[in-house]
Amino acid sequence: MIHSDAAVLGLLFVVLALIFHTASLKHPFWQKFYGIVPPLLLCYFVPGLLNTFGVISGEESKLYPVVSQYLLPACLVYFTLGMDFKAVMKLGPKALMVFLAGTLGVMVGGPVAVGLVKIINPEIVGGEGANAVWRGLATIAGSWIGGGANQTALKEVFQPSDRLFSQVIAVDVITAEIWMAVLIYGVGFSARIDRAFKADVSAIDELRHRLDSEQKASQRIFSLRDIVLIAAVGFGATGLSHLLADFIAPFIKTNYPSLEKLSLTSTFFWIVSIVTFIGILLSFTPLRKLEFAGASKIGSLFLYLLVATIGMKMDLFAVAENPGLFLVGIIWMAIHIIITLSVAKLVKAPFFFTAVGSQANIGGAASAPVVAAAFHASLAPVGVLLSILGYALGTYCGYLTGLMMQWVAS
């Protein structure tokens, strides 16, 4: 019905605005509704419904290529720009160990889940070409280590079909949201869990006071100069990564064609790798202060627009075509949980670090602060810090996980 991309873009922003507005309302109906249906799921599925029933056409629209090529790399810069390695190190070794255990759980869990399901029913994790299931599952690895931006980056690297991607999005979001609900429920039992793990929680109170004071001292109202600088950093890094990738990828394809099986001939792989590295480097410079002027908030806006443009390419009827993929997701998540909890018990980490470290992997910047704030509002920045670290690792570790799943599946 709607063929103009300008009209489609406007419609997507209206959809996002309605979702975020209703999610912020205190009315009992909306609180119950969003307690069952997470906002992120709607950001995918409402545009998916519009596409499925012919209101818009994700296949005809040129929005997704523009958003993925230009806004996604800038988004990665904004999320990694705010990384404060000193603050991360101040969290202590236990927080980092549990977080990295969660990352390891995702990297190990993916290939193991594929291997186990392959034994049960090879067709669930089979497929050829763009419909090879491992390609879609690789995007979940990016999401569960970093976030939506890493997921989309790996989608462009491994090129799963839109139909397959529709299926794995449902596995990703639903499985992750169930685990998030379990973690939030577990906050009420955190004292018992800490006693069982023999954890020392004194460091958390100190951390809470320090982060609260730092946040109040650094936050500021952004100016026009800030916005221009944020745009220059994001799109300048994006432009440089495109320039370098356009040289590197053809060079490898011509001289080392055997590396194509590792996706090293993909221009987009080099774009996201370079732009993430630039963002990490810039986090050591004074430009990191742009985070306090709202750089990551602009990154979040780009990310949710990206999610909506992905959603408009989805065929929701495809979700029911391979329900066995949910078995892969359940086994995968179980392995992540087992490894994370085992390391937490081994190092006697507080449940706070366990919950936030796990969610910083699985949910990323969208939900890790929510879990952290469930313990105390001023602890939300801990979720942000670990999530940013996840964004830095997500594309690289997700890429390696995808290659391992490709090996297991074949």
Side-chain angles (χ1 to χ4, degrees), residues 96 116 147 149 202 224 230 240 242 257 321 333 410:
L96 293 176
L116 291 175
S202 59
L224 177 61
I230 290 170
L240 178 60
H242 273 269
E321 290 180 359
M333 183 64 74
S410 60

Side-chain angles (χ1 to χ4, degrees), residues 5-298:
D5 273 342
V8 172
L9 179 62
L11 178 61
L12 292 180
F13 271 121
V14 169
V15 167
L16 292 176
L18 287 173
I19 292 171
F20 279 93
H21 174 66
T22 53
S24 68
L25 296 177
K26 302 300 181 184
H27 191 280
F29 169 78
W30 290 114
Q31 289 187 329
K32 289 180 181 177
F33 177 78
Y34 284 107
I36 300 170
V37 182
L40 181 63
L41 190 63
L42 288 183
C43 293
Y44 282 112
F45 278 79
V46 172
L49 284 171
L50 296 175
N51 178 61
T52 301
F53 292 105
V55 179
I56 59 179
S57 173
E59 187 177 343
E60 290 182 9
S61 174
K62 300 297 187 292
L63 280 179
Y64 176 75
V66 172
V67 173
S68 63
Q69 289 288 325
Y70 304 115
L71 298 191
L72 170 60
C75 174
L76 288 169
V77 174
Y78 296 145
F79 283 138
T80 52
L81 179 67
M83 183 183 297
D84 184 347
F85 274 101
K86 291 182 180 178
V88 171
M89 295 307 295
K90 285 179 182 177
L91 293 177
K94 291 182 180 180
L96 293 176
M97 288 171 72
V98 173
F99 169 80
L100 293 174
T103 302
L104 179 64
V106 175
M107 295 185 70
V108 171
V112 171
V114 170
L116 291 175
V117 173
K118 183 180 178 182
I119 295 171
I120 298 169
N121 186 348
E123 292 184 4
I124 294 175
V125 292
E128 298 292 336
N131 288 309
V133 171
W134 69 266
R135 295 182 184 273
L137 294 176
T139 70
I140 295 182
S143 174
W144 284 1
I145 297 171
N150 305 95
Q151 180 176 43
T152 309
L154 292 176
K155 177 182 183 292
E156 291 300 306
V157 171
F158 290 117
Q159 294 288 313
S161 68
D162 290 337
R163 202 164 191 80
L164 173 60
F165 193 63
S166 301
Q167 297 168 3
V168 299
I169 281 289
V171 175
D172 169 12
V173 177
I174 293 173
T175 308
E177 291 296 335
I178 291 172
W179 176 231
M180 179 180 172
V182 171
L183 288 174
I184 291 176
Y185 180 74
V187 172
F189 301 93
S190 59
R192 293 186 196 175
I193 298 171
D194 288 336
R195 283 196 296 271
F197 282 22
K198 299 179 180 178
D200 179 13
V201 298
S202 59
I204 296 176
D205 290 331
E206 180 188 345
L207 178 67
R208 175 169 56 83
H209 290 302
R210 186 173 69 245
L211 288 173
D212 194 26
S213 59
E214 284 179 359
Q215 190 73 9
K216 288 179 180 177
S218 302
Q219 204 72 30
R220 68 175 191 268
I221 298 174
F222 63 83
S223 64
L224 177 61
R225 173 182 173 275
D226 291 326
I227 297 175
V228 173
L229 277 175
I230 290 170
V233 168
F235 291 102
T238 298
L240 178 60
S241 66
H242 273 269
L243 185 67
L244 294 175
D246 286 342
F247 169 77
I248 296 171
F251 176 81
I252 293 177
K253 190 170 186 177
T254 302
N255 296 282
Y256 307 99
S258 61
L259 294 179
E260 185 173 1
K261 62 185 178 183
L262 300 178
S263 301
L264 295 181
T265 57
S266 165
T267 301
F268 202 81
F269 169 81
W270 289 105
I271 290 172
V272 297
S273 298
I274 293 169
V275 86
T276 302
F277 183 66
I278 291 173
I280 293 171
L281 286 181
L282 292 178
S283 72
F284 290 97
T285 72
L287 288 173
R288 193 188 70 80
K289 294 180 181 179
L290 290 175
E291 164 60 21
F292 302 116
S296 65
K297 290 183 175 63
I298 294 176

